Amino acid sequence: MRLRTWTTILVIVVAAAAVVAGAVPPLTVDLASAWFSEQPCDFLTGGGWILPPAGNSNGAKANFAIGGGCKHGSTPGPPPIPYWGHLNYLDHGTSIKPVTAPTPFHVHWTSIDAYVFVCNGINTDGFNCTGPSTDPKTGQPVGTREVCGTATTNDPMHPTVHFRVRVADNGEPGTSDFYWMHLSDPNTNMVFYDTNCTFLGSSTPCGSGGTGGPGGGNIQLHKPNPSTTGVMVTFCPYP
Amino acid sequence: MDHITSHNWKLLLLAGAMVGFLAWPGTSEAQTVTGQASAVTATVLGMTTTLADTGTLGGTSDVRDADQLTGSVPSLLTGEALGAATIGYPDQVDSEASLASLGMTVAGTGISADFVMARATSVLGGASIGLTNIGGLTIDGVPVFPTGDPNQTISLGLLNIVLNEQIPSAGGMTVNALHVSTIDGLTNVVIGSATAGVSSSGSTSGGGGGILPPLF
């Protein structure tokens, strides 16, 4: 009996140490939260410009500043606890902006509602995903994230919108970083503005085997800090 | 059927105590962090204007950001998509500031850029990293290509212009992507400024002010 007791104690101590060290995830699993990423939440910052697609931008740039991440228990809920971040976007072109919007078309965030881990590996559900990897030049993580939220615009037909911004930090000097933004009508859930996935400083699509553009800004992932309690999710609540 | 004796309960308590100590943060040196970022800091005739300024980092678990859709300093400059952030860690600070579509006139000289960004990272016990992105820079309509070297200086009559200005400080550095000043000192403009620093005070402290947490 004594040997069994010591064995039990040893198992308790080793298991607890493994959980504390992060070697294994906690055993408590809530099926309702299955869309939560197992990756620890982190931060994303960046800015730059792209040339919106459709071949009609005439060199007119769309400038952006973006930030995202968790802070103090961020979760989509219930109840929702806001995420950290910001989005500002100004499109000086006319190729994809709503016809009712003035030029430049303005988008300014009002809330950050989700921060999404996007798996660059085989598993697209965010679980057991390869990575994150690190940029040897900065020691910072690299990868793809989405920042989702609510914004106001200067388009009278779309004064309030949902945004979904997918950005990637693919290392320095940022020529392989990309930006992709959807704006949708919160009433109809229909996407009415789509930049397509575009390498920074260009109109070059980031798909089709493209490896980068000339560069026009930088996206930077940052490792978690003690305030990043909360959860990254595996998909954006907005289209 | 086994019964846990009083002796075994003591052993379980001992095991619990060990778990508690494992879970409690170990003793470590206290760190002091400094972090701040701003898209624009302009001083004209003694009056300073800042745009998208994070303010100072509050500690090793703080994160701060600031942003503006557009920003301007009347009769001096305009910019778009201004953003700034500073992030603290127990052993690191990251700071970043940027803006796009810069248009500026200082002492009659026009300066514009598609995009300007400054980044600074300081790691405890390691070298600080300063990075600058400046795209589409022109001075009086003439394209200027940054070398990427720290403290690239351009002197133009009444103006001094420093690209990728890197100013070391205790445990870190300040990176000013574009620093324009007049030689009379009346105008001083920094576009994209990021400060990051982390240093050890040499003292020791527990994770909760030296008070052990309850075991159960």
Side-chain angles (χ1 to χ4, degrees):
Chain A
M1 185 173 70
R2 176 165 295 181
L3 177 60
R4 185 178 299 174
T5 303
W6 276 109
T7 303
T8 303
I9 292 169
L10 184 62
V11 168
I12 291 170
V13 171
V14 170
V19 170
V20 167
V24 295
L27 297 177
T28 52
V29 174
D30 179 2
L31 292 179
S33 64
W35 67 306
F36 294 168
S37 170
E38 291 187 345
Q39 298 286 343
C41 197
D42 51 23
F43 297 106
L44 174 146
T45 59
W49 56 275
I50 59 170
L51 297 173
N56 194 29
S57 64
N58 296 321
K61 299 178 177 66
N63 298 318
F64 70 89
I66 184 78
C70 295
K71 188 177 183 182
H72 303 323
S74 301
T75 176
I81 299 175
Y83 285 78
W84 176 90
H86 58 262
L87 168 71
N88 290 296
Y89 180 89
L90 301 94
D91 183 355
H92 289 266
T94 57
S95 60
I96 59 172
K97 80 171 181 65
V99 293
T100 51
T103 304
F105 174 49
H106 290 178
V107 181
H108 177 61
W109 75 287
T110 55
S111 67
I112 305 297
D113 304 329
Y115 183 60
V116 182
F117 176 81
V118 179
C119 182
N120 290 329
I122 297 172
N123 301 295
T124 55
D125 60 0
F127 292 90
N128 304 312
C129 183
T130 304
S133 57
T134 302
D135 176 17
K137 192 168 184 178
T138 62
Q140 300 277 23
V142 296
T144 305
R145 302 286 183 270
E146 289 183 357
V147 182
C148 305
T150 306
T152 57
T153 82
N154 60 347
D155 176 11
M157 292 298 291
H158 301 94
T160 301
V161 300
H162 285 150
F163 66 83
R164 176 186 182 185
V165 176
R166 175 177 289 196
V167 284
D169 175 7
N170 286 321
E172 297 303 319
T175 52
S176 296
D177 295 353
F178 65 72
Y179 184 91
W180 185 2
M181 184 175 78
H182 282 181
L183 299 179
S184 59
D185 187 312
N187 297 313
T188 64
N189 234 22
M190 297 291 291
V191 174
F192 68 89
Y193 185 96
D194 183 353
T195 65
N196 289 337
C197 185
T198 306
F199 287 117
L200 302 190
S202 74
S203 59
T204 306
C206 64
S208 313
T211 56
N218 198 280
I219 303 297
Q220 187 66 62
L221 276 182
H222 307 268
K223 64 183 183 180
N225 87 348
S227 79
T228 48
T229 55
V231 289
M232 278 197 293
V233 292
T234 55
F235 60 87
C236 179
Y238 309 130
Chain B
M1 182 176 179
D2 293 330
H3 297 279
I4 299 176
T5 64
S6 172
H7 178 67
N8 288 338
W9 272 113
K10 291 176 183 174
L11 290 175
L12 284 170
L13 280 170
L14 177 62
M18 293 170 67
V19 170
F21 278 113
L22 282 168
W24 191 243
T27 301
S28 61
E29 292 190 339
Q31 272 77 49
T32 301
V33 295
T34 54
Q36 186 164 4
S38 61
V40 173
T41 302
T43 302
V44 180
L45 299 173
M47 182 174 293
T48 299
T49 304
T50 58
L51 303 176
D53 187 343
T54 63
T56 54
L57 194 64
T60 58
S61 61
D62 194 15
V63 53
R64 303 176 65 90
D65 68 336
D67 67 282
Q68 291 181 220
L69 183 68
T70 60
S72 65
V73 178
S75 303
L76 183 66
L77 65 86
T78 60
E80 296 182 352
L82 296 82
T86 182
I87 305 170
Y89 303 91
D91 61 348
Q92 183 173 326
V93 173
D94 294 342
S95 296
E96 172 186 304
S98 66
L99 87 169
S101 291
L102 171 69
M104 177 165 60
T105 301
V106 181
T109 300
I111 301 170
S112 65
D114 293 334
F115 181 72
V116 178
M117 173 182 273
R119 285 183 284 160
T121 293
S122 290
V123 179
L124 187 66
S128 296
I129 299 172
L131 294 169
T132 295
N133 295 54
I134 302 176
L137 177 65
T138 66
I139 300 177
D140 273 342
V142 178
V144 175
F145 300 96
T147 62
D149 296 333
N151 305 308
Q152 178 185 353
T153 302
I154 301 168
S155 296
L156 285 175
L158 300 174
L159 286 186
N160 280 323
I161 302 172
V162 184
L163 310 181
N164 192 22
E165 183 177 48
Q166 300 193 1
I167 305 169
S169 60
M173 71 160 56
T174 293
V175 179
N176 297 325
L178 178 59
H179 186 176
V180 181
S181 58
T182 55
I183 58 174
D184 60 10
L186 296 178
T187 301
N188 193 49
V189 185
V190 174
I191 308 297
S193 180
T195 297
V198 56
S199 58
S200 172
S201 66
S203 62
T204 58
S205 65
I211 303 171
L212 288 174
L215 291 176
F216 297 104

